[in-house]
């Protein structure tokens, strides 16, 4: 039995984190065992790499060094957490995964996307999300949210950078419509939550029909 791998993606300030815990509870309520994780991080080693990557005092990091560090953390996470959980039939719910590297380092920093994809491929070790929720939000609105706290090294980048990252995400979503579901994160929080829940339930309905009957928020059913 293999589980499902669900990722939450979006630019900083798009509100992903707010919905992670709720989605976990919803999936647990219909009988799934769920593991929550995040990138970069999710393992002791990965959290140390995260500190280096997000520390505003880390200066002059080469874009390819970034790709390799995100993927070093990813490789550890895949082997230590994601693959074992999927093999045990659990649902892994991750805040960010390989799409972040394509959007932030590929589209955002301008590295060739095919090279970023191939480095990602080494770290992913055959693991690929079954479903991705892309929380899409206007860059200016997201930025206003970020600037309410002290920005980390990535968040210090300018609006144009975040525009490229957002466009990158939307390009990925356009290329992989079967996997990536766009959630309009400009809506009220309850509505964003409802849409995110619905997208997950639609996925579950197709892949685990018996479980989805236990809780069904679909207006069409
Ligand atoms: P977050 O966990 O608070 O979203 O912070 C992670 C930051 O790292 C966020 O700004 C996005 C960035 N990031 C990349 O640039 N590339 C990646 O591959 C990943 C996973 C994250």
């Amino acid at each position: 039995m293999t589980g499902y791998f669900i990722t939450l993606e979006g630019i900083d300030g798009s509100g992903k984190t707010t919905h992670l815990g709720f989605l976990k509870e919803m999936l647990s309520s219909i009988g799934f065992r769920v593991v929550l994780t995040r990138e970069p991080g999710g393992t002791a080693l990965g959290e140390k790499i995260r500190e280096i990557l997000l520390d505003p005092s880390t200066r002059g990091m080469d874009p390819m060094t970034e790709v390799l560090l995100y993927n070093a953390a990813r490789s550890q996470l895949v082997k230590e957490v994601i693959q074992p959980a999927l093999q045990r039939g659990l649902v892994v719910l991750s805040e960010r995964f390989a799409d972040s590297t394509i959007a932030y380092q590929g589209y955002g920093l301008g590295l060739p996307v095919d090279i970023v994809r191939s480095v990602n491929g080494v770290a992913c070790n055959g693991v690929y999300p079954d479903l991705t929720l892309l929380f899409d939000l206007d860059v200016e609105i997201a930025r206003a949210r970020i600037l309410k706290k002290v920005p980390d090294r990535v968040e210090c980048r300018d609006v144009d950078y975040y525009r490229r990252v957002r466009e990158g995400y939307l390009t990925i979503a356009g290329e992989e419509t079967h996997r990536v579901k766009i959630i309009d994160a400009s809506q009220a929080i309850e509505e964003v939550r409802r849409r995110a829940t619905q997208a997950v339930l639609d996925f579950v309905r197709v892949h685990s029909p018996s479980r989805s009957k236990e809780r069904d928020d679909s207006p069409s059913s």
Side-chain angles (χ1 to χ4, degrees):
M1 176 164 140
T2 56
Y4 303 123
F5 183 29
I6 301 175
T7 59
L8 275 56
E9 294 279 0
I11 58 172
D12 297 282
S14 61
K16 307 175 291 330
T17 320
T18 316
H19 302 285
L20 199 70
F22 181 80
L23 290 174
K24 177 181 191 280
E25 280 175 26
M26 186 277 289
L27 283 164
S28 301
S29 77
I30 57 174
F32 288 102
R33 287 180 301 154
V34 184
V35 173
L36 284 188
T37 191
R38 70 168 178 180
E39 279 208 352
T43 65
L45 182 63
E47 292 294 329
K48 286 188 183 169
I49 296 173
R50 178 185 176 93
E51 278 175 30
I52 299 169
L53 280 164
L54 300 189
D55 182 353
S57 70
T58 302
R59 303 221 178 270
M61 193 184 293
D62 173 70
M64 185 50 74
T65 306
E66 280 196 21
V67 169
L68 293 167
L69 282 176
Y70 282 113
N71 274 298
R74 180 166 302 135
S75 179
Q76 190 68 27
L77 182 69
V78 165
K79 303 267 176 49
E80 197 177 312
V81 176
I82 300 178
Q83 282 183 317
L86 293 177
Q87 279 155 12
R88 291 171 53 214
L90 275 58
V91 173
V92 178
L93 207 51
S94 181
E95 184 171 354
R96 300 192 180 281
F97 193 63
D99 292 326
S100 283
T101 323
I102 295 171
Y104 279 77
Q105 280 66 48
Y107 289 96
L109 292 182
L111 287 178
V113 168
D114 56 335
I115 293 178
V116 177
R117 272 190 212 284
S118 71
V119 179
N120 284 355
V122 175
C124 293
N125 196 35
V127 169
Y128 204 65
D130 297 298
L131 171 69
T132 296
L133 305 185
L134 171 57
F135 291 82
D136 180 54
L137 185 61
D138 178 78
V139 168
E140 309 281 354
I141 300 173
R143 188 136 197 92
R145 288 184 186 168
I146 296 170
L147 296 178
K148 285 186 184 151
K149 64 174 185 74
V150 181
D152 63 34
R153 191 181 66 91
V154 180
E155 291 165 344
C156 290
R157 290 174 182 159
D158 63 17
V159 173
D160 283 343
Y161 171 75
Y162 275 102
R163 285 207 181 96
R164 294 193 296 277
V165 174
R166 182 186 186 198
E167 283 309 310
Y169 271 130
L170 292 172
T171 302
I172 298 168
E175 288 165 352
E176 295 189 65
T177 50
H178 60 287
R179 171 177 71 91
V180 185
K181 304 300 167 200
I182 300 174
I183 307 292
D184 178 359
S186 69
Q187 302 293 314
I189 187 165
E190 296 78 16
E191 180 59 15
V192 176
R193 177 172 290 179
R194 192 191 68 73
R195 293 183 188 191
T197 303
Q198 192 57 59
V200 173
L201 284 173
D202 286 346
F203 171 84
V204 168
R205 185 172 299 115
V206 172
H207 295 85
S208 290
S210 59
R211 290 231 175 104
S212 61
K213 285 200 187 82
E214 293 172 37
R215 165 163 178 169
D216 198 333
D217 288 354
S218 169
S220 60
S221 58

